[in-house]
């Protein structure tokens, strides 16, 4: 086939995908009977992602939101979205005339989930920026409320902080109790990384763990003793809580909502989206947008990240060191400091699988349910 013929065939395939087609590139033999268009061809990542989105819609994953009249707009968005990160050119299609410079041509069906996620995360980041942050529910601060300062487990404390703010019990005030929320150290580490993904973003889970292990140091939000000292907590006004059933009592409420623990795929997708959101909005606006994503991201049933076996000895020694420091400090403990030791059974999942992350991303792109306006309580400024 001539160069013009192969290019015309490629443009015919692009038109097929724009119409909702699902035929793979190497199985496509129709050039549509038209000459090659002057329009530049999208990259293999964009084209394969659009094909997989079409498959998801055809199989029913997008029935609730992806209407036919919206498909052309979705296709245009996907095909014109640059892949996030790396800063290299898009991958050209196999079988077309190729330059001697730049990436080698590829079969779109062979493009890795990692590459497809670079495009999908950029599409979702644009959706999130367009959506904007959810309003924060507030009520007037109650003068008789218990004064507290929450530190420790970021997933638990973030959810509790928002719930209490909505009930008129914000943090701070004169001489607050510093409530340090503990958990097995492997869980604390996983929760800290996960919450970073839903705030400012982070490096990949295992890279992040390796960084702290090489320094033989715990992150600031994980080290409970250091967290208490940063807030100048004095012994009578400190509680280290390892029994979460007793946490509400020490915050002056009867109960707290159940904590939604993100799965490994949700955290990894958020990490990728956060990197793109950071290029779209000022740094100060990113956490509110990412917390909106955390509230709305669909549940998948995938387990949270876990500490790999090669890091467990370091985690165990770090937990023992933190336990000794808290014991020497003499802070009142609600529960048992022995609960800070890592779980005896390692987590079944240590990190996110790219195919699972891509499946979640595709689900969110074709089904706009997560983007719909939520019923929110009127915000009352304090």
């Amino acid at each position: 086939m001539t160069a013009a013929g192969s290019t015309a065939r490629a443009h015919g395939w692009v038109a097929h995908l724009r119409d909702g087609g699902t035929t793979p590139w190497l199985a496509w033999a129709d050039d549509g009977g038209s000459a090659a268009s002057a329009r530049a061809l999208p990259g293999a990542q964009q084209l394969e992602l659009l094909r997989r989105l079409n498959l998801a819609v055809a199989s029913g994953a997008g029935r609730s939101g992806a209407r036919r009249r919206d498909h052309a707009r979705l296709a245009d968005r996907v095909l014109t979205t640059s892949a996030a990160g790396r800063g290299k050119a898009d991958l050209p299609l196999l079988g077309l005339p190729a330059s001697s410079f730049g990436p080698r041509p590829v079969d779109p069906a062979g493009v890795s989930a990692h590459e497809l996620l670079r495009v999908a995360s950029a599409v979702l980041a644009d959706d999130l920026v367009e959506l904007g942050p959810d309003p924060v529910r507030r009520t007037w601060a109650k003068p008789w409320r218990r004064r507290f300062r929450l530190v420790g487990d970021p997933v638990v404390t973030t959810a509790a902080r928002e719930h209490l703010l909505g009930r008129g019990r914000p943090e701070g005030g004169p001489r607050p109790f510093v409530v340090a929320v503990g958990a097995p150290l492997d869980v604390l580490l996983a929760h800290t990384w996960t919450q970073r993904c839903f705030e400012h973003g982070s490096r990949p889970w295992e890279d992040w763990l390796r960084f702290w292990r090489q320094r033989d140091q715990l992150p600031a939000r994980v080290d409970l003793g250091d967290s208490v000292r940063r807030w100048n907590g004095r012994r009578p006004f400190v509680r280290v809580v390892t029994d979460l059933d007793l946490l509400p009592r020490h915050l002056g409420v009867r109960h707290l909502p159940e904590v939604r623990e993100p799965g490994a795929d949700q955290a990894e997708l958020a990490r990728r989206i956060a990197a793109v959101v950071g290029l779209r909005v000022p740094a100060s606006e990113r956490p509110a947008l990412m917390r909106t994503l955390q509230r709305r991201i669909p549940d998948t049933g995938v387990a949270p990240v876990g500490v790999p076996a090669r890091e467990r000895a370091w985690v165990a020694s770090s937990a023992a060191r933190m336990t000794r420091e808290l014991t020497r400090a003499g802070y009142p403990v609600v529960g048992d400091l022995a609960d800070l030791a890592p779980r005896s059974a390692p987590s079944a999942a240590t990190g996110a699988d790219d195919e699972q992350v891509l499946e979640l991303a595709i689900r969110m792109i074709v089904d706009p349910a997560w983007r719909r306006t939520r019923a929110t309580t009127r915000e009352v400024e304090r």
Side-chain angles (χ1 to χ4, degrees), residues 157-288:
T157 58
T158 299
R161 201 174 282 123
E162 290 189 353
H163 173 76
L164 293 168
L165 181 63
R167 297 192 58 180
R169 297 176 180 271
E171 281 186 293
R175 302 179 71 182
F177 273 85
V178 179
V179 181
V181 181
L185 188 55
D186 55 335
V187 175
L188 275 178
L189 287 164
H191 283 187
T192 300
W193 177 81
T194 296
Q195 197 59 41
R196 280 186 58 85
C197 292
F198 283 102
E199 292 175 354
H200 299 282
S202 180
R203 62 181 69 191
W205 164 236
E206 295 194 21
D207 291 350
W208 183 82
L209 268 183
R210 189 181 308 113
F211 170 82
W212 291 107
R213 188 252 301 160
Q214 289 173 347
R215 293 166 63 100
D216 194 21
Q217 183 180 350
L218 292 174
R221 297 166 85 174
V222 174
D223 191 332
L224 300 183
D226 184 60
S227 298
V228 170
R229 289 190 295 271
R230 281 201 311 273
W231 288 105
N232 298 317
R234 292 181 294 170
R235 191 179 305 170
F237 299 98
V238 173
R239 295 292 184 272
V240 178
V241 180
T242 62
D243 186 343
L244 294 186
D245 291 337
L246 301 178
L247 178 61
R249 180 186 309 173
H250 294 275
L251 297 177
V253 294
R254 292 183 179 179
H255 70 276
L256 291 169
E258 184 178 354
V259 176
R260 182 189 183 202
E261 186 175 9
D265 57 340
Q266 295 171 308
E268 175 61 19
L269 182 57
R271 185 185 75 83
R272 291 170 175 269
I273 292 173
V276 185
V277 170
L279 302 176
R280 304 286 196 268
V281 301
S284 60
E285 297 178 15
R286 178 162 53 174

Side-chain angles (χ1 to χ4, degrees), residues 3 19 30 118 160 165 216 241 319-321:
D19 288 339
D30 183 8
R118 294 174 57 216
L165 181 63
D216 194 21
V241 180
R321 183 169 61 239

Side-chain angles (χ1 to χ4, degrees), residues 57-71:
V57 173
S59 66
R63 272 200 304 264
S64 64
R67 301 185 179 93
R68 185 172 182 81
R69 66 175 179 270
D70 296 328
H71 186 270

Side-chain angles (χ1 to χ4, degrees), residues 27-370:
W28 179 254
D30 183 8
D31 63 3
S34 61
S37 169
R39 180 185 298 179
L41 286 166
Q45 307 103 304
Q46 288 84 352
L47 292 166
E48 178 61 16
L49 177 61
L50 179 57
R51 191 182 76 84
R52 295 204 189 189
L53 291 171
N54 293 344
L55 283 169
V57 173
S59 66
R63 272 200 304 264
S64 64
R67 301 185 179 93
R68 185 172 182 81
R69 66 175 179 270
D70 296 328
H71 186 270
R73 188 173 73 89
L74 173 62
D76 286 338
R77 289 185 60 216
V78 172
L79 296 181
T80 57
T81 296
S82 298
R86 197 171 69 175
K88 294 184 179 179
D90 294 328
L91 302 175
L93 287 177
L94 184 67
L96 299 185
S99 169
S100 56
F101 301 96
R104 299 179 62 183
V106 298
D107 172 16
V111 174
S112 67
H114 177 82
E115 284 292 331
L116 299 181
L117 278 167
R118 294 174 57 216
V119 181
S121 59
V123 172
L124 289 171
D126 289 338
D127 284 339
L128 185 60
V129 171
E130 182 180 359
L131 177 68
D134 283 337
V136 178
R137 182 175 180 268
R138 299 171 183 264
T139 58
W140 293 102
K142 297 174 174 58
W144 59 86
R145 71 189 188 280
R146 176 171 296 184
R147 271 68 173 177
F148 67 91
R149 178 69 62 183
L150 272 169
V151 298
D153 188 328
V155 169
V156 174
T157 58
T158 299
R161 201 174 282 123
E162 290 189 353
H163 173 76
L164 293 168
L165 181 63
R167 297 192 58 180
R169 297 176 180 271
E171 281 186 293
R175 302 179 71 182
F177 273 85
V178 179
V179 181
V181 181
L185 188 55
D186 55 335
V187 175
L188 275 178
L189 287 164
H191 283 187
T192 300
W193 177 81
T194 296
Q195 197 59 41
R196 280 186 58 85
C197 292
F198 283 102
E199 292 175 354
H200 299 282
S202 180
R203 62 181 69 191
W205 164 236
E206 295 194 21
D207 291 350
W208 183 82
L209 268 183
R210 189 181 308 113
F211 170 82
W212 291 107
R213 188 252 301 160
Q214 289 173 347
R215 293 166 63 100
D216 194 21
Q217 183 180 350
L218 292 174
R221 297 166 85 174
V222 174
D223 191 332
L224 300 183
D226 184 60
S227 298
V228 170
R229 289 190 295 271
R230 281 201 311 273
W231 288 105
N232 298 317
R234 292 181 294 170
R235 191 179 305 170
F237 299 98
V238 173
R239 295 292 184 272
V240 178
V241 180
T242 62
D243 186 343
L244 294 186
D245 291 337
L246 301 178
L247 178 61
R249 180 186 309 173
H250 294 275
L251 297 177
V253 294
R254 292 183 179 179
H255 70 276
L256 291 169
E258 184 178 354
V259 176
R260 182 189 183 202
E261 186 175 9
D265 57 340
Q266 295 171 308
E268 175 61 19
L269 182 57
R271 185 185 75 83
R272 291 170 175 269
I273 292 173
V276 185
V277 170
L279 302 176
R280 304 286 196 268
V281 301
S284 60
E285 297 178 15
R286 178 162 53 174
L289 282 170
M290 295 306 300
R291 285 288 296 125
T292 295
L293 177 66
Q294 187 172 8
R295 299 183 196 99
R296 294 173 177 238
I297 194 167
D299 289 317
T300 61
V302 174
V305 295
V307 173
R310 62 180 172 274
E311 306 289 2
R312 291 189 66 80
W314 168 72
V315 173
S317 62
S318 298
R321 183 169 61 239
M322 184 166 68
T323 300
R324 289 194 299 270
E325 291 174 354
L326 291 172
T327 300
R328 285 197 298 266
Y331 299 132
V333 178
V334 180
D336 192 336
L337 289 181
D339 294 335
L340 298 178
R343 295 171 296 188
S344 56
S347 173
T350 57
D353 178 83
D354 281 347
E355 288 292 344
Q356 290 177 322
V357 181
L358 179 61
E359 183 180 348
L360 173 59
I362 288 174
R363 173 183 170 185
M364 293 177 68
I365 292 173
V366 301
D367 187 350
W370 70 276

